[in-house]
Amino acid sequence: MSGTLHKHIRESVLRTALLHQLKNGQKAPERTARNLSELLLKFSPASSELFTYDDLLIMIKRCSIEECLNLIIQKLA
């Protein structure tokens, strides 16, 4: 599999997983922030330097699902 295709598939899987987690963000933002932190560590070990639990929690509480998703993807790029 080419590197570009592999990267595209990986990003698509990450987007889907993030979206699934963010849908529960309004009901349980603390749990969602914890789950997102764990998910991001699996996809990108360096993400712990980009996102803290508190940053994710604030983002979940203040931003829409789409905004959160876009902010996370942009920071990881």
Side-chain angles (χ1 to χ4, degrees), residues 5-76:
L5 181 59
H6 180 71
K7 182 179 177 184
H8 177 71
I9 290 171
R10 186 171 168 80
E11 184 177 320
S12 178
V13 168
L14 177 60
R15 277 183 173 274
T16 302
L18 289 171
L19 186 60
H20 177 73
Q21 290 297 324
L22 288 167
K23 284 183 180 180
N24 295 323
Q26 297 302 318
K27 296 178 192 171
E30 292 83 7
R31 182 180 54 180
T32 301
R34 187 176 57 250
N35 290 344
L36 283 178
S37 181
E38 292 171 5
L39 177 66
L40 289 168
L41 277 176
K42 289 180 182 178
F43 272 87
S44 175
S47 67
S48 63
E49 297 171 10
L50 299 173
F51 302 99
T52 65
Y53 168 83
D54 291 331
D55 291 339
L56 290 169
L57 185 58
I58 290 168
M59 188 184 339
I60 290 165
K61 288 182 175 182
R62 292 187 181 167
C63 301
S64 70
I65 292 173
E66 294 80 18
E67 290 171 328
C68 288
L69 185 59
N70 289 333
L71 287 169
I72 292 169
I73 295 298
Q74 285 176 357
K75 268 193 162 181
L76 289 174

